[in-house]
Amino acid sequence: MSGVAKLAVRVADVVPVNDLVTRFRFEARDGSLLPAFSGGAHTVVEMDDHGTRRLNPYSLMSDPGDRSGYEISVRRDDAGRGGSLFMHRHVRPGMEMVLSHPVNLFGLDSRARKYLMIAGGIGITPFLSQIAQLSRTGGRFELHYAARNPALGSYMDRLQAAHPDRVQCYFDDDGQQIDLARVLSRQPIGTHLYVCGPKGMIAWVLGTAERMGWPPQSLHSEEFIAPPVGQPFTVELAASGHTLNVGAAQSLLEAIEASGVDAPYLCRGGACGQCETKVIRCDGQLLHNDHWLTPEEQAEGRKIMPCVSRAAGGTLVIDR
Amino acid sequence: MTLTPVAPTIRSRPVYAPLAAVPGHLHLVIADGEGAEAVTDMLERAPDAAGFLALTHFLYCPGPTGTDLSDRLQALGAMQFFRAPTIPALLPRLQRVLTDAHMGSRFYLAGSEGLIGQAERDIMATGFPFAAIQKEHRGSTLRRVQCVHCKGITENVATDPFQCSHCGLNLFVRDHYSRRLAAFQGVNIDAEDPGEVPESVVRFT
Ligand code: FES
């Protein structure tokens, strides 16, 4: 299958972090070191959920200096398509699983003088590996981390204990919010901003920074979107001659893969651009959910990102 | 006078575009010689020139061929105006301003490639993305060239080939440019057949 090379791993540890988040540690089945990665990288976890194949991207949160294992933290999404529920309910220590090689779409720009990090909820995970990396190299950073309340602030204690003067926490339940304009206005020239969290937060941070004169090249964000659940629809694969039905809880990419057609992907979250596919005809409407195509490209309707986007109201014909 | 045209050659050869006012809390405008006209042209197009000038710090020096439009820039009434006699005298002031600058500052460079390149190098060294630095080449096309053999830099090169002012080798002036050194690269032209040097022509003025 497409995507990057696979790693055969065994689940070494499953640790509940709080009511919603569980941490998983994976080690190579043959005991070797895992491939090196850099802070901000993610891996795609393959799950065999009782016959349904699920591939979900998760940021690596462990120290990039430690190649004896990879750690991820998964937030349970009870209304999601089932990947996070599978991880929480069925993944146990000792289980054999398959991960993709790490891919970094949210790497630290090593030219920056300082890193301003803004995290919301489970969006903290890429920052954990980035901060571990910066702690080794002595890089300057400042983290602003918002969570619903202290109990759901995963790894807040650990971060505040290790970096008391660099980590600032905020709790939605207490009505606390980062004073973004103030924080943005006092960053030394050469600072790069990294934001990861819910969609609304990312849009607010990037929009405010841009209005305050931060150039786009200094702004970095990451949000993996889970493929949204939608109405079933029909797709014709022009190159391979298949006609398929895409189920309500299935992504277009998953449907293509289930039919045995090899389709490219990397992130499976609408962020990397790898799965871009030409639309040959669409009788209905394209429902774009990705971060990759520009708004103009989305409006033109000549391309689709099958990992997260769908169609509705008529047949879709794509070049695959 | 408008933007000095640059024939596209190799990818490393810098290209330029007209300056445009963008949002920011400090506008650092660095110019030499005819670059002052790029600045006044930008202000004519700017939606709020007065508001822009109230946040503007000018660093200016005469161009390599002597053009000095200091009076014109000073008369604009910007928040701060600094005139240096030469580029080497201007750069320490830029360093000083960069030490205290915050994100939200924007950079506009205009004039000779020597000034633009050296200011870009110093701004870039702070970690500020070089692609967000605006650059408009005006006036003199004299080049700042590094001898790839002795590493010495010769300013205001007019002819090609020319003799390295440090080691004396005859150098062919390439379009190959180093952002880090802020210089075009000069390569020995008679290495195989010493003394066989093509006639030098004035390529840069
Ligand atoms: S796989 Fe990355 S955008 Fe679709």
Side-chain angles (χ1 to χ4, degrees), chain A residues 106 118-127 145-146 194-203 205 220-225 291:
Chain A
F106 194 52
I118 302 182
I122 195 65
I124 191 63
T125 51
F127 295 119
Y145 177 12
Y194 288 76
V195 54
C196 185
K199 194 188 222 41
M201 176 191 213
I202 293 178
V205 170
H220 312 267
S221 64
E222 182 160 82
E223 184 208 2
F224 292 130
I225 334 168
H291 295 311

Side-chain angles (χ1 to χ4, degrees), chain A residues 233-237 252 279-284 286 304 309-311 314-318:
Chain A
F233 64 98
T234 304
V235 60
E236 280 177 45
L237 308 184
L252 173 53
V279 172
I280 294 172
R281 206 182 83 224
C282 177
D283 299 337
L286 294 174
I304 188 167
S309 298
R310 311 177 66 84
T315 300
L316 170 69
V317 186
I318 59 174

Side-chain angles (χ1 to χ4, degrees), chain A residues 45-56 58 77-78 80-91 95-98 249-250 254:
Chain A
V45 179
E46 301 197 6
M47 305 168 210
D48 177 6
D49 185 358
H50 308 94
T52 303
R53 184 167 173 265
R54 303 190 185 282
L55 295 125
N56 283 14
Y58 294 105
D77 181 358
D78 295 317
R81 302 182 324 134
S84 67
L85 285 174
F86 175 82
M87 292 298 292
H88 276 247
R89 289 185 185 152
H90 301 290
V91 174
M95 231 169 104
E96 296 196 336
M97 294 185 81
V98 173
Q250 197 178 26
E254 288 163 350

Side-chain angles (χ1 to χ4, degrees), chain A residues 79-158:
Chain A
R81 302 182 324 134
S84 67
L85 285 174
F86 175 82
M87 292 298 292
H88 276 247
R89 289 185 185 152
H90 301 290
V91 174
R92 296 285 172 261
M95 231 169 104
E96 296 196 336
M97 294 185 81
V98 173
L99 308 182
S100 75
H101 264 254
V103 168
N104 201 342
L105 303 173
F106 194 52
L108 294 171
D109 187 322
S110 60
R111 294 165 295 190
R113 177 193 281 189
K114 178 181 170 185
Y115 304 92
L116 173 64
M117 302 168 171
I118 302 182
I122 195 65
I124 191 63
T125 51
F127 295 119
L128 294 167
S129 62
Q130 291 183 340
I131 288 172
Q133 179 178 325
L134 291 173
S135 302
R136 286 169 185 272
T137 56
R140 248 174 104 187
F141 72 90
E142 173 181 326
L143 169 70
H144 297 264
Y145 177 12
R148 205 183 303 161
N149 53 51
L152 291 177
S154 314
Y155 309 111
M156 268 185 182
D157 296 350
R158 187 212 267 201

Side-chain angles (χ1 to χ4, degrees), chain B residues 164-183:
Chain B
C164 174
S165 61
H166 300 262
C167 68
L169 283 179
N170 295 301
L171 302 179
F172 160 58
V173 181
R174 296 203 57 210
D175 275 344
H176 181 177
Y177 183 81
S178 162
R179 252 198 305 269
R180 190 175 56 83
L181 301 167

